[in-house]
Amino acid sequence: MARRRGPRVPGPQHGNPTLAPAIASVQEVAPRESVRGGDRRKEASPRSSRPARGLPLPAAPAAPHLRPGRRDAAMAAAAVAPPEVLRECGCKGIRTCLICERQRGGDPPWQHPSQKTHRFIYYPDTGWAVGAEESDFEGWAFPFPGVTLIEDFVTREEEAEMVQLMDRDPWKLSQSGRRKQDYGPKVNFRKQKLKMADFRGLPSFSREVVRRMGLYPILEDFQPVEQCNLDYCPERGSAIDPHLDDAWLWGERLVSLSLLAPTVLSMSREAPGSLLLCLAPSGFPEALADSAMAPSRSVPCQEVEVAVPLPRRSLVVLSGGARHQWKHAIHRRHVRARRVGVTFRELSAEFGPGGKQQELGQELLQMALSFQGRPTT
Ligand SMILES: [Zn+2]
């Protein structure tokens, strides 16, 4: 099983540690204790920013404020959800939250997604998923490509300010105890139709966040056309069922920023067939990267859930298999405090240069990146 290595060798320090990019997607550091077991993890401690090996990193960004002059007020952070959110819910069909479950009473007619039998933990430093401790597959691992985690993407002050600005606008009730704010075109995914409607762009406070994304190689040229703020809280039993994001309108990379609290993204895949596992040698993850290992065990894909820990203030990018094959979910038990997830989506090729709908795509991009938006109704 993954063994903890000695202290990390300090890397080059940037002038402004809170604003310098920190990336962890390549073989770089040993898994941190806090990541083990997913459920038991604590909020990631601040870590020094250092470039990942082999990745060209830009110079530390100049210290920008999301909105100069508003930081003090923002410091008083909006960590508490307004009380009215506990009276109503926005659930439909099979979805439920704690509010409507209490109102319905009696035997639960609702079903929570069944627990997957085999739990693996994703380690961002290696890109591998490793069998959870004390499970049948403890110490067994498989590569899990398509997840990039950037820790400390925003500072505490920026986080507080963003949430405070969001809370000035109304939140709409959504399914499974979530609330949301959308900045994007009105979309009918079933009919594959979209309208600009009252979309006036992403909010002004995202300008700096989007600029900063472009400093990371994986997000170079990333131009979001939609932002969705999702508010999760334990009082409402917020969660999100396993799902894949649309691929007709939305492009290759899904980018999500975790604010106010950490959580766990649970990945699962309803596919026939098995995953081949390697025995992670002692000294994991370094040894894993250096030695070619023959897979020597397998597990049915449908029985596997991969836990991707998302620290507070981290940015996660899903692409490839993690975007198109593996569904993602957030379980109720992984929402222990108010958390705001901010998801940014780019356009698919159909709406890009040379695509069938490139003109509409261009119009959307221009509007999105004017950063004059308010949540759409
Ligand atoms: Zn409900």
Side-chain angles (χ1 to χ4, degrees), residues 89 91 96-97 100:
C89 89
C91 295
T96 66
C97 67
C100 56

Side-chain angles (χ1 to χ4, degrees), residues 4-318:
R4 194 162 162 75
R5 211 174 29 142
R8 288 190 289 125
V9 183
Q13 298 287 323
H14 292 282
N16 183 344
T18 55
L19 289 166
I23 191 159
S25 60
V26 198
Q27 294 80 2
E28 176 193 354
V29 290
R32 282 166 297 119
E33 202 68 50
S34 63
V35 176
R36 298 247 189 110
D39 286 339
R40 288 170 287 144
R41 58 186 297 285
K42 301 189 197 103
E43 183 187 333
S45 55
R47 44 181 289 185
S48 64
S49 309
R50 57 202 202 100
R53 199 187 303 156
L55 280 180
L57 260 193
H65 301 326
L66 299 176
R67 239 207 227 178
R70 297 210 45 80
R71 298 177 73 204
D72 290 348
M75 294 277 282
V80 182
E84 81 272 10
V85 305
L86 298 178
R87 281 186 224 129
E88 293 176 87
C89 89
C91 295
K92 293 176 211 154
I94 55 163
R95 306 266 154 64
T96 66
C97 67
L98 279 175
I99 312 298
C100 56
E101 285 167 21
R102 259 184 225 124
Q103 287 164 358
R104 291 181 204 188
D107 289 334
W110 50 86
Q111 285 206 321
H112 292 300
S114 58
Q115 288 253 65
K116 293 281 179 183
T117 321
H118 302 298
R119 190 173 158 79
F120 286 74
I121 315 294
Y122 175 74
Y123 286 84
D125 305 323
T126 60
W128 284 61
V130 184
E133 279 179 3
E134 289 167 31
S135 74
D136 289 352
F137 291 95
E138 175 172 358
W140 291 83
F142 64 95
F144 194 75
V147 179
T148 303
L149 189 71
I150 303 172
E151 293 197 48
D152 298 314
F153 189 78
V154 293
T155 65
R156 284 184 176 276
E157 290 77 16
E158 289 167 337
E159 170 190 52
E161 177 156 12
M162 287 176 78
V163 177
Q164 195 196 40
L165 291 171
M166 290 175 199
D167 282 343
R168 288 185 186 176
D169 286 318
W171 288 90
K172 281 196 295 191
L173 293 167
S174 181
Q175 306 260 49
S176 304
R178 302 185 302 276
R179 298 188 306 159
K180 72 172 176 180
Q181 293 176 336
D182 259 317
Y183 307 79
K186 224 182 182 63
V187 188
N188 185 324
F189 288 104
R190 202 170 46 80
K191 295 185 182 164
Q192 299 203 334
K193 289 225 151 63
L194 66 89
K195 285 189 275 193
M196 292 298 274
D198 58 350
F199 178 43
R200 294 290 172 272
L202 307 194
S204 59
F205 60 80
S206 294
R207 188 189 286 272
E208 167 55 25
V209 173
V210 171
R211 187 196 71 84
R212 197 172 299 171
M213 289 176 190
L215 301 178
Y216 294 86
I218 183 143
L219 291 175
E220 223 185 311
D221 73 7
F222 181 77
Q223 296 189 298
V225 290
E226 199 231 28
Q227 175 177 334
C228 182
N229 307 332
L230 287 179
D231 175 297
Y232 295 80
C233 83
E235 292 79 6
R236 295 191 306 270
S238 308
I240 192 160
D241 288 344
H243 66 282
L244 287 174
D245 280 41
D246 163 82
W248 155 68
L249 176 59
W250 306 137
E252 175 58 21
R253 293 163 290 187
L254 300 178
V255 177
S256 200
L257 180 61
S258 290
L259 301 178
L260 299 181
T263 192
V264 176
L265 199 61
S266 295
M267 316 282 294
S268 59
R269 186 176 173 181
E270 302 302 327
S274 293
L275 291 160
L276 298 175
L277 305 175
C278 301
L279 186 57
S282 66
F284 177 88
E286 297 77 17
L288 190 55
D290 298 338
S291 62
M293 286 168 308
S296 46
R297 208 178 162 189
S298 69
V299 60
C301 198
Q302 297 179 22
E303 295 175 9
V304 168
E305 184 169 272
V306 178
V308 178
L310 301 182
R312 177 178 178 178
R313 287 184 284 105
S314 69
L315 189 85
V316 71
V317 182
L318 300 182

